[in-house]
Amino acid sequence: MYGLLPSWFVPGLADWVMHRRTRIEKTAGTRESLIHALMMTEVGVPIALAFVCEVNPLLLAVMLGATGAHEATALWDVRTAVRSDREVKPVEQHIHSFLESLPFAGLSALMCLHPDQVRSLLRGGRGDPDAWRLVLRRRRLPAPYLAGVSVAILLGVALPYGEELWRCVREGRGARTSRTHRDESG
């Protein structure tokens, strides 16, 4: 709660700085920015579920699937960046290694904290009527913690990456308008 999740914000912001520095809006553009939004969703939905739901086989299965999807999307992201004119320097690649490993670290930590649910998952949830449904937490997380995480997500994820997407969309529209004017005058 206070280590792994907050540690995500630093490399996430550093990656956004790299995108800004390499002018993503003029190179890889909206496609890569939308891939970033997809990866944040693949990580964000399972985290949100873990905040409000009990850890059980269903939640672990969702997290396993999302972690796999995130890894596949991360490969797509790097391929998209490299195939564009955007230079992905070693520093950015190193930042990506942190961002790719954190879902595995979070899932591993959760599995270590809930070995009974891992065993239940491996047995297909047999004998547990709640194994395959989302169950709200009996002991809710503290409201100040959830508020703090929400503010951190807003400031450290939603605003910077929203700004990135806005730049990319704006640049894409400008490029299309320039092409249209050239085509009409040429």
Side-chain angles (χ1 to χ4, degrees), residues 2 8 28 33 38 46 49 60-61 68 74 87 94 100 133 139-140 151 154 173 182:
Y2 298 101
W8 233 308
S33 190
L38 175 60
L49 288 173
L60 290 174
E87 183 181 6
H94 193 64
E100 290 172 37
R133 64 184 198 92
R139 290 182 46 221
R140 296 205 171 129
V151 168
L154 176 67
R173 285 184 184 151
R182 277 195 313 265

Side-chain angles (χ1 to χ4, degrees), residues 150-165:
S150 297
V151 168
I153 290 169
L154 176 67
L155 297 176
V157 178
L159 287 177
Y161 283 93
E163 183 271 343
E164 173 184 289
L165 182 58

